[in-house]
Amino acid sequence: GAVANKAHDYTQGDIEQLRAFMDNVQILIERQNIQDALEEQTEYYSVLFYGSPHPTAVADAESGTLIACNSNFSDLLGYSTEEIIGQHQSKFHHAKPSENKLTDNFVAHKNDSQGKYLEDKLITKDGRFVDVEITASMLNLKGKDVLLGFFKDVTEHKMMLKERHRSAQLAAIGTLAAGVAHEINNPIQGILNYASMIERNASGNERIQKASSRIVQESQRIAN
């Protein structure tokens, strides 16, 4: 105010003071813009993580301790978020290694399988098994290496594939059975016809009549 309301001309000192003031204002504006951008970015990534349609979790890459997860991940396992955070990642896997040892897929995702989908099986709070596909990537969070994992529930898909495979097997068995029946039925019909002819022409020979009659009966049973 002292500079702006002076009655006489501005001196060089006044100009320098004003310039310094404006520089400080510019720095404050830039800092505020950066802070606003960081907060916006933080909110953006928070929405991406917690609003992801896929179950998502973050674990310390070294220890395997879970440090964050979204609601879809906790819903998948049947635990609350509070029950999951701080637990070792192996706790929720069907094939548990020795205590606090990382699972094979966790180690693979840390190394040469980053970004690849690996099949796994999780166990829920109520003891159910859930087939999943997991893809994960290494990130650095505040100087700490973490593993960000996305989980896809493929339980129903695997059941559908299993049922489709079973149906294909049954269809193949049916085709085989029909083929076998056809191959057996042709010669049986010949045997049946000739046995019937022998039976009709064996008048007076009881032994041949009984034998040919037996052949006819057994042939019909095989045909049926």
Side-chain angles (χ1 to χ4, degrees):
V3 175
N5 297 322
K6 293 188 70 171
H8 51 76
D9 293 338
Y10 292 105
T11 66
Q12 185 62 34
D14 293 334
I15 294 173
E16 293 297 330
Q17 184 180 356
L18 186 59
R19 180 179 293 124
F21 173 75
M22 294 302 296
D23 287 343
N24 286 332
V25 170
Q26 182 64 31
I27 290 172
L28 290 174
I29 291 173
E30 289 177 356
R31 284 180 179 175
Q32 186 60 48
N33 288 340
I34 292 173
Q35 183 64 31
D36 291 343
L38 286 174
E39 290 178 358
E40 183 179 348
Q41 190 177 51
T42 300
E43 183 178 357
Y44 174 72
Y45 286 115
S46 178
V47 169
L48 284 180
F49 180 79
Y50 291 106
S52 170
H54 298 292
T56 309
V58 179
D60 185 296
E62 184 65 28
S63 67
T65 301
L66 289 161
I67 58 179
C69 71
N70 65 5
S71 59
N72 283 330
F73 185 79
S74 58
D75 290 344
L76 177 67
L77 295 176
Y79 290 90
S80 68
T81 302
E82 291 74 21
E83 290 175 310
I84 293 172
I85 303 304
Q87 296 290 341
H88 195 268
Q89 59 89 210
S90 63
K91 171 182 173 66
F92 307 105
H93 287 257
H94 165 55
K96 292 183 176 63
S98 55
E99 188 174 358
N100 289 334
K101 294 293 183 182
L102 301 174
T103 60
D104 291 342
N105 279 349
F106 192 92
V107 175
H109 275 136
K110 285 174 58 177
N111 299 308
D112 59 347
S113 293
Q114 287 193 52
K116 296 180 181 178
Y117 276 101
L118 300 179
E119 290 190 1
D120 215 324
K121 191 182 292 287
L122 303 182
I123 184 168
T124 65
K125 188 175 183 178
D126 58 6
R128 292 181 298 105
F129 295 133
V130 180
D131 291 302
V132 293
E133 289 181 348
I134 310 171
T135 181
S137 299
M138 290 281 289
L139 301 174
N140 189 275
L141 183 63
K142 295 183 179 180
K144 179 185 293 186
D145 288 332
V146 299
L147 199 61
L148 171 65
F150 296 92
F151 297 73
K152 182 180 180 182
D153 186 350
V154 294
T155 305
E156 291 187 6
H157 179 67
K158 292 194 75 171
M159 289 179 61
M160 182 183 68
L161 290 179
K162 186 176 180 180
E163 185 61 31
R164 186 181 298 172
H165 179 65
R166 181 173 177 272
S167 297
Q169 285 182 319
L170 291 175
I173 291 172
T175 301
L176 176 64
V180 170
H182 177 75
E183 293 300 322
I184 290 176
N185 198 50
N186 285 341
I188 284 297
Q189 290 301 321
I191 294 171
L192 182 61
N193 291 336
Y194 282 113
S196 297
M197 289 174 57
I198 293 172
E199 184 181 13
R200 288 196 301 270
N201 296 325
S203 57
N205 191 327
E206 185 178 352
R207 181 170 175 273
I208 293 177
Q209 281 185 322
K210 285 184 177 180
S212 57
S213 177
R214 181 68 181 273
I215 293 173
V216 170
Q217 292 174 8
E218 296 302 324
S219 297
Q220 289 175 334
R221 190 163 69 91
I222 291 173
N224 291 334

